[in-house]
Amino acid sequence: MDKYEILKRYFGYDTFREGQELLTDCILNGRDVLGIMPTGAGKSICYQVPALLFPGITLVISPLISLMKDQVQSLNHAGIHAAYINSSLTENQIAKALQYAAEGRYKIIYVAPERLETASFLWFVQRVEISMVAVDEAHCISQWGQDFRPSYLKIVRFVEQLPVRPVLSAFTATATGAVKEDIICVLGLRDPEILVTGFDRKNLYFGVETPRRRDEFVADYVRGHSGESGIVYCSTRKNVEQVHEMLCGMGIPAARYHAGLSAEERKSSQDAFIYDVKPVIVATNAFGMGIDKSNVRYVLHYNMPQSMENYYQEAGRAGRDGEPSECILLYSPQDIMVNRFLIENKEQREDSFDEAQLQAIRERDEERLRVMSFYCSTTDCLRDYILKYFGEYGGGDCGNCSNCSGEFEDVDMSEEAAVIVRCIRELGGRYGINVVAGTLTGAQTAKLREYNVKRFASFGTLSRRRETEIKKMIQKLLQDGVLAQTADKYALLRLAPLAKEVEDGRRRVIMRVPSRARASVASDGRKSAQGQASQGRSRKGRRSDVLNSQGLECFEALRALRTELAREESLPPYIVFSDKTLVDMCVRLPFTREEMLQVSGVGEHKYEKYGERFISRIKEFTGGVKGKYYFG
Ligand code: ADP
Ligand code: ZN
């Protein structure tokens, strides 16, 4: 078999994704590799395909017990013999697994780094051929990273003890220069092929919303996406409890997760979520490491996280299957204060830092927080902002974020316009846009103090607005000829004749604003943007763009079957088939084995297990006629 046959037969995919083929080839040629790829890019295929073509065994070193279990389950379901060895097994189970491993029963073995130096493990590896050691989450080896794990340093000595040096492959989603250098150096990669694929997650929609009531927003959103799986991140346990209670009160099956719960409670919450018993989970950032659930359709942030790194990691848990998914951050300026407080009171895990180091860490955290808060207020493309932060060039307007989704909304701004006109009249036309906007928001800058604008009655009359919003309104009034500017370098704001009509309400001022800004621009009692965002209409490439209403019904029927099968086997549903695979079934409507094997994600082994039942459900649904189209 060649690599393409392996990909098709076991994983059900026709083609490799960007980067996967290159890394697979290098590994098969015996060359070390370092793959830096974002979550969901498909790192595991890069080592699993070569593992099946190598004569010997592949060891995969992974820090996360839950992830190992998940991966091994998936592999077994694809018909690949794999096992894991970590502290969740008893000594007896480990002994047995190693015995089987020594007999060559497994092609791929996942192992926790702590195990590598145990006598029994060393006994086993002396007896077999180890073709490759794949290091997952390789950034854990770097002391520069956030997740440094001292046990990862054991990998180096372990590899040295092997009779023959295997191919080393390392994978991570963290790409800063220092971490990359550390991985290469500390792991001792030999002339590695280094592949960095783009950090862009094209299937994710990014949004920032500033709703007046976050609870309502979450309630509407979750209701509008019922049946879909989602994560709601909150910054405090208290918020988790509140939001969780609210959702449960609405009859939505939701789980909760935070460090204040017992280990059993956390485990059962996590399982309920993974097995789609409770498709929604409300959690602090303690949740998510090692969660590989591929069909998470949305990640809402109830509060602003502390850094872009955190945000992108948490939001990135949406849409690992490549299907359209949404990441929406609910922002309120108060979040900055809360986060600043959290930073100042952060417990340092290692007490070995001296005061100067602690100060440096605090400054770094402050800077990260600043960058994060700019994300929440920028009017530029959000995807661009993220990619630039991670050192890539974005492509300008992505058309799939709340700042450039092209959804606009007409909002009546007549009252605000009248307030602006009155302010300019009061200031006697002696100031430019910055002073006018600053006066209206009641800003406390040195310059405004110097001008003593506090004495004006207009001071702070639009304090509930952001300065940028007021400036936009002023721009609009300039465009409409309500205001004028002096042509000198001072560009002083003056009233045009039309201003009188605005001031006494004879002339309405309607502004076209991007619909996300609507929530904040129209924040006093008028209808907000929540409804629209929560319906998620007209997002690029949503499932509902691919499937028409018939197709969506078909999808639901197949999803129900998937749940049934998963329950029978106590498996997470996404291990049976991903959402993406189900969508492809609805598009192709396979009636035969051959047709079913064309579906993305259906390999031979899975066909044997589930193929017939899905075919018969599809036949049932369509009445056995393919004439009708389910997509469009
Ligand atoms: P990562 O470890 O990089 O986060 P995974 O290995 O978990 O990503 O893969 C993410 C998802 O992409 C999985 O659902 C996987 O089945 C799917 N996938 C991986 N490679 C391909 C491919 N070549 N074609 C289609 N889907 C793929
Ligand atoms: Zn964009």
Side-chain angles (χ1 to χ4, degrees):
M1 262 201 285
D2 65 14
K3 62 184 178 192
Y4 300 110
E5 283 167 317
I6 299 268
L7 187 69
K8 183 70 192 159
R9 176 158 192 190
Y10 290 103
F11 302 97
Y13 303 134
D14 291 321
T15 50
F16 284 98
R17 284 195 188 148
E18 189 193 342
Q20 286 177 335
E21 186 158 16
L22 175 71
L23 292 185
T24 304
D25 288 344
C26 286
I27 292 173
L28 286 172
N29 288 328
R31 179 149 175 219
D32 289 355
V33 303
L34 169 58
I36 300 177
M37 303 156 100
T39 312
K43 289 186 272 297
S44 26
I45 291 284
C46 301
Y47 58 83
Q48 287 168 351
V49 169
L52 296 179
L53 288 163
F54 274 141
I57 294 171
T58 289
L59 298 177
V60 183
I61 296 164
S62 163
L64 303 163
I65 291 179
S66 57
L67 203 77
M68 288 189 206
K69 186 173 163 209
D70 209 83
Q71 292 264 5
V72 167
Q73 250 180 353
S74 286
L75 288 172
N76 289 337
H77 265 76
I80 297 163
H81 298 283
Y84 60 86
I85 293 175
N86 62 36
S87 59
S88 74
L89 303 179
T90 63
E91 282 307 318
N92 270 339
Q93 288 172 317
I94 290 179
K96 195 154 186 184
L98 288 174
Q99 183 61 46
Y100 286 165
E103 291 166 15
R105 292 207 200 180
Y106 307 121
K107 217 45 207 160
I108 303 179
I109 299 172
Y110 283 75
V111 55
E114 300 79 28
R115 290 282 134 197
L116 294 175
E117 285 188 333
T118 58
S120 56
F121 198 76
L122 286 169
W123 168 85
F124 146 68
V125 293
Q126 301 298 330
R127 255 147 210 82
V128 293
E129 180 181 352
I130 304 290
S131 294
M132 169 166 52
V133 172
V135 182
D136 204 4
E137 313 286 349
H139 59 278
C140 291
I141 205 164
S142 170
Q143 312 203 26
W144 292 105
Q146 294 190 315
D147 309 310
F148 173 56
R149 308 225 170 189
S151 60
Y152 257 57
L153 297 172
K154 292 186 203 287
I155 299 171
V156 187
R157 253 191 64 69
F158 169 76
V159 171
E160 281 166 9
Q161 286 173 16
L162 294 175
V164 181
R165 186 190 185 275
V167 178
L168 281 186
S169 59
F171 300 89
T172 178
T174 311
T176 64
V179 173
K180 188 168 104 183
E181 288 310 313
D182 260 12
I183 295 172
I184 297 170
C185 237
V186 180
L187 268 184
L189 300 183
R190 291 186 192 160
D191 177 34
E193 173 73 35
I194 301 167
L195 178 98
V196 185
T197 58
F199 263 62
D200 191 7
R201 302 276 311 278
K202 294 198 171 55
N203 61 317
L204 300 186
Y205 166 89
F206 289 97
V208 174
E209 301 278 347
T210 43
R212 281 221 305 161
R213 297 204 34 119
R214 307 187 202 208
D215 287 354
E216 277 173 22
F217 184 97
V218 172
D220 282 355
Y221 188 96
V222 173
R223 210 183 280 121
H225 291 76
S226 72
E228 295 190 351
S229 189
I231 306 175
V232 183
Y233 276 113
C234 302
S235 60
T236 62
R237 294 176 196 183
K238 198 168 131 230
N239 282 344
V240 169
E241 292 294 343
Q242 280 168 357
V243 174
H244 176 252
E245 201 174 292
M246 172 185 79
L247 293 178
C248 292
M250 288 161 52
I252 287 168
R256 68 189 164 141
Y257 191 105
H258 59 66
L261 302 173
S262 69
E264 297 90 84
E265 282 173 297
R266 289 203 303 266
K267 172 93 173 62
S268 81
S269 293
Q270 182 168 320
D271 285 349
F273 177 64
I274 288 177
Y275 289 81
D276 277 344
V277 176
K278 294 181 176 173
V280 181
I281 191 160
V282 187
T284 59
N285 61 8
F287 175 75
M289 270 292 257
I291 299 296
D292 210 3
K293 194 174 196 299
S294 72
N295 65 336
V296 175
R297 292 278 71 89
Y298 60 86
V299 173
L300 301 184
H301 275 77
Y302 191 81
N303 308 96
M304 182 181 80
Q306 283 180 19
S307 70
M308 288 302 294
E309 283 87 351
N310 290 1
Y311 182 62
Y312 205 48
Q313 185 176 50
E314 287 159 17
R317 298 194 170 117
R320 293 180 71 126
D321 54 9
E323 285 289 281
S325 309
E326 299 192 336
C327 310
I328 295 175
L329 195 163
L330 306 185
Y331 167 74
S332 125
Q334 199 193 330
D335 287 339
I336 300 180
M337 319 248 296
V338 173
N339 275 316
R340 195 158 285 146
F341 176 83
L342 291 175
I343 288 173
E344 272 157 23
N345 294 280
K346 190 156 101 179
E347 275 178 43
Q348 290 301 340
R349 262 181 303 166
E350 293 88 340
D351 349 307
S352 54
F353 291 120
D354 61 31
E355 196 39 53
Q357 284 168 322
L358 284 175
Q359 184 56 30
I361 293 174
R362 264 196 298 269
E363 278 168 19
R364 183 198 67 188
D365 288 349
E366 284 281 348
E367 172 61 20
R368 287 185 172 165
L369 180 59
R370 221 162 54 83
V371 172
M372 187 71 238
S373 59
F374 286 156
Y375 175 80
C376 298
S377 55
T378 183
T379 51
D380 296 336
C381 174
L382 294 175
R383 186 180 311 274
D384 233 37
Y385 187 94
I386 296 172
L387 293 178
K388 278 196 191 125
Y389 180 70
F390 289 110
E392 285 182 26
Y393 291 103
D397 284 1
C398 74
N400 195 24
C401 78
S402 58
N403 283 350
C404 55
S405 61
E407 286 172 29
F408 289 95
E409 177 70 13
D410 289 337
V411 177
D412 188 334
M413 303 298 303
S414 306
E415 278 170 40
E416 289 79 0
V419 173
I420 292 171
V421 166
R422 251 172 256 136
C423 176
I424 293 171
R425 183 184 305 291
E426 192 185 9
L427 268 54
R430 279 177 290 125
Y431 298 99
I433 190 166
N434 288 322
V435 174
V436 171
T439 302
L440 286 164
T441 53
Q444 304 281 354
T445 66
K447 189 171 160 205
L448 291 177
R449 271 200 295 275
E450 193 186 317
Y451 293 148
N452 191 20
V453 295
K454 242 182 165 158
R455 71 197 137 105
F456 296 118
S458 305
F459 186 77
T461 42
L462 288 180
S463 59
R464 62 187 189 282
R465 301 289 182 195
R466 277 189 254 138
E467 201 171 301
T468 48
E469 289 166 14
I470 295 179
K471 286 186 180 168
K472 273 191 195 156
M473 291 181 215
I474 294 177
Q475 294 294 354
K476 158 79 177 158
L477 295 176
L478 283 166
Q479 262 172 34
D480 286 5
V482 174
L483 302 178
Q485 257 170 331
T486 58
D488 53 19
K489 67 173 178 178
Y490 302 107
L492 304 177
L493 287 175
R494 299 277 159 82
L495 300 182
L498 278 178
K500 192 90 198 79
E501 292 179 24
V502 170
E503 201 175 359
D504 52 37
R506 274 177 295 142
R507 184 190 168 93
R508 312 303 297 167
V509 177
I510 309 294
M511 252 178 96
R512 228 168 132 63
V513 296
S515 59
R516 95 140 174 102
R518 195 166 42 136
S520 51
V521 170
S523 64
D524 32 27
R526 280 170 270 169
K527 200 177 171 332
S528 77
Q530 297 167 13
Q532 181 152 10
S534 61
Q535 302 310 317
R537 287 199 314 256
S538 73
R539 299 277 191 255
K540 236 191 185 176
R542 288 183 58 80
R543 184 150 72 227
S544 52
D545 287 352
V546 183
L547 301 175
N548 60 24
S549 59
Q550 281 269 22
L552 286 171
E553 266 179 50
C554 183
F555 178 85
E556 289 307 324
L558 299 185
R559 177 152 77 173
L561 173 61
R562 177 178 72 177
T563 308
E564 238 171 78
L565 293 169
R567 297 272 151 84
E568 281 170 20
E569 297 185 79
S570 312
L571 278 178
Y574 62 89
I575 286 193
V576 175
F577 283 130
S578 70
D579 282 9
K580 196 186 174 84
T581 299
L582 297 189
V583 171
D584 206 32
M585 282 187 203
C586 298
V587 170
R588 293 170 188 263
L589 300 176
F591 287 171
T592 65
R593 180 174 188 275
E594 283 62 45
E595 289 172 348
M596 189 54 121
L597 285 171
Q598 298 291 308
V599 173
S600 169
V602 182
E604 274 172 31
H605 193 80
K606 284 207 183 165
Y607 177 82
E608 297 310 329
K609 276 188 90 99
Y610 309 116
E612 299 295 334
R613 288 180 70 176
F614 277 89
I615 288 178
S616 66
R617 186 63 61 98
I618 291 168
K619 282 188 176 157
E620 220 171 89
F621 189 86
T622 56
V625 223
K626 241 189 237 191
K628 274 187 280 176
Y629 285 108
Y630 285 74
F631 56 97

